[in-house]
């Protein structure tokens, strides 16, 4: 098994391994690589839905997306399908975000398998390293952010897709510290994102919006924090949802892209980083 970093800051390509038949040693190396690189790209994998779910279960219980609980109760609850066609008005995830941070315990990570590529190119996924995004802010700002909390509201994300709840339906919202400590690495992470974070607790709306916009710009504008994954047949990408943002690139209209995502449930609520380690 080879582990080839994509950039010095994040991402690694894993080759020479079959995710359906991992030895204990390979699995242990993958677990460490996940913590070291945040985004793992497995090439040339041939797995069906059950294989995809089985690979996800190696890392924890599978997460059920909140939309599967009330908005779409008929499809497989453990598979989040992302189909973008010439008729689509939007594609899922075309903004920098972490998955469903509006939940009290957001997911540990997600595994995406693109089953239908949009052509010879296009439909890449971008990732951002939120350890680095936080670490590169000034110390006075980092000190202030460590004491703040933010509201993450699933309705904000739904509104970006023009989806409205029907009477009686609900969608999660949660308050999380703005700066958390990663439960496995112990490193500090900026844990807010454009799609789900609605406001900073205790700040007037105008100050909250300005602060959040500055944080989005800091994380989004500097390619040094990013890596870009180009999909190929048989690629599976596994990202750590606790310390990354991702962004789907819809540059392939009018072609179709179809992907399936399996998400792994988080185990602990995001915990405040009280002070620098
Ligand atoms: C997502 O999980 O937000 C979608 C990512 C992608 O389709 O590239």
């Amino acid at each position: 098994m080879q582990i080839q970093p994509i950039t010095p800051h994040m991402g690694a390509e894993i080759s020479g391994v079959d995710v359906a038949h991992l030895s204990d040693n390979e699995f242990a190396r993958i677990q460490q690589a996940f913590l070291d690189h945040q985004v793992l790209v497995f090439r040339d994998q041939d797995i069906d839905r059950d294989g995809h779910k089985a690979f996800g279960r190696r890392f924890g219980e599978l997460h059920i997306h909140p939309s599967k609980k009330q908005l779409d109760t008929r499809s497989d609850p453990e598979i989040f399908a992302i189909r973008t066609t010439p008729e689509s008005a939007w594609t899922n995830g075309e903004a920098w975000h972490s998955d469903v941070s509006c939940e009290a315990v957001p997911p540990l990570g997600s595994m995406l398998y693109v089953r239908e590529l949009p052509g010879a190119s296009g439909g890449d996924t971008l990732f951002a390293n939120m350890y680095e995004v936080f670490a590169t802010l000034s110390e006075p700002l980092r000190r202030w952010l460590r004491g703040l909390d933010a509201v993450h509201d699933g309705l904000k994300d739904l509104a970006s897709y023009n989806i409205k709840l029907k009477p009686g339906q609900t969608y999660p919202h949660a308050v999380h510290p703005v700066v958390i400590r990663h439960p496995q690495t112990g490193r500090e992470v900026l844990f807010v994102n454009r799609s789900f974070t609605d406001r900073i607790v205790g700040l007037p709306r105008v100050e909250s919006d300005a602060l959040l916009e500055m944080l989005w710009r800091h994380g989004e504008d500097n390619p040094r924090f990013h890596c870009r994954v180009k999909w190929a047949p048989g690629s599976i990408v596994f990202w750590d949802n606790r310390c990354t943002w991702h962004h789907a690139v819809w540059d392939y209209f009018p072609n179709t892209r179809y992907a399936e995502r399996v998400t792994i449930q988080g185990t602990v609520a995001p915990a405040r980083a009280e002070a620098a380690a």
Side-chain angles (χ1 to χ4, degrees):
M1 184 171 105
Q2 293 82 44
I3 301 173
Q4 179 68 40
I6 297 174
T7 81
H9 288 295
M10 78 178 316
E13 295 253 352
I14 312 271
S15 55
V17 75
D18 174 0
V19 301
H21 300 97
L22 294 175
S23 68
D24 289 347
N25 179 264
E26 285 171 334
F27 183 61
R29 289 183 65 200
I30 288 170
Q31 283 181 302
Q32 189 58 51
F34 183 63
L35 299 180
D36 293 343
H37 300 282
Q38 301 94 46
V39 177
L40 301 182
V41 182
F42 299 88
R43 299 294 189 187
D44 304 317
Q45 304 300 316
D46 182 14
I47 53 169
D48 59 13
R49 278 188 169 182
D50 286 340
H52 190 176
K53 291 198 257 186
F55 185 37
R57 279 199 192 92
R58 298 289 307 255
F59 296 87
E61 205 176 304
L62 298 191
H63 168 267
I64 311 292
H65 195 273
S67 65
K68 299 282 186 167
K69 294 180 181 157
Q70 294 191 48
L71 312 184
D72 164 21
T73 50
R74 283 178 302 182
S75 56
D76 184 333
E78 293 174 336
I79 296 283
F80 187 78
I82 302 170
R83 183 183 295 283
T84 311
T85 72
E87 286 73 45
S88 298
W90 38 261
T91 190
N92 191 277
E94 199 193 14
W96 285 105
H97 66 286
S98 55
D99 289 329
V100 283
S101 63
C102 57
E103 299 212 270
V105 180
L108 176 154
S110 289
M111 282 180 183
L112 192 70
Y113 194 21
V114 176
R115 295 192 175 273
E116 185 178 342
L117 294 165
S121 66
D124 298 354
T125 307
L126 310 179
F127 293 91
N129 177 334
M130 299 311 294
Y131 296 126
E132 286 295 319
V133 171
F134 181 66
T136 49
L137 293 166
S138 68
E139 176 49 26
L141 184 53
R142 280 185 282 157
R143 202 177 313 128
W144 184 42
L145 292 174
R146 284 186 192 107
L148 299 179
D149 294 294
V151 176
H152 297 240
D153 191 346
L155 294 181
K156 179 181 182 198
D157 183 56
L158 289 186
S160 71
Y161 301 113
N162 284 320
I163 300 173
K164 293 190 178 65
L165 295 184
K166 296 196 176 75
Q169 291 180 330
T170 57
Y171 215 67
H173 58 92
V175 174
H176 299 304
V178 168
V179 185
I180 64 167
R181 205 169 279 290
H182 189 287
Q184 288 177 277
T185 65
R187 296 176 64 191
E188 290 182 304
V189 183
L190 184 68
F191 194 70
V192 286
N193 67 89
R194 194 184 271 283
S195 293
F196 288 94
T197 309
D198 183 53
R199 61 191 181 279
I200 304 286
V201 176
L203 295 191
R205 174 57 81 173
V206 65
E207 291 182 9
S208 172
D209 285 352
L211 175 59
L212 288 173
E213 187 60 33
M214 188 270 291
L215 296 175
W216 310 150
R217 295 286 298 277
H218 177 64
E220 292 171 4
D221 288 358
N222 192 337
R224 197 200 305 169
F225 305 139
H226 304 160
C227 75
R228 181 172 188 128
V229 172
K230 182 170 171 53
W231 294 91
S235 302
I236 298 180
V237 177
F238 179 28
W239 64 83
D240 189 332
N241 196 56
R242 303 160 298 184
C243 58
T244 61
W245 286 342
H246 56 284
H247 184 306
V249 180
W250 189 15
D251 55 358
Y252 48 87
F253 179 87
N255 291 346
T256 291
R257 176 182 185 267
Y258 177 64
E260 292 184 347
R261 195 176 82 199
V262 160
T263 297
I264 295 106
Q265 179 62 50
T267 51
V268 286
R272 183 180 310 282
E274 295 288 355

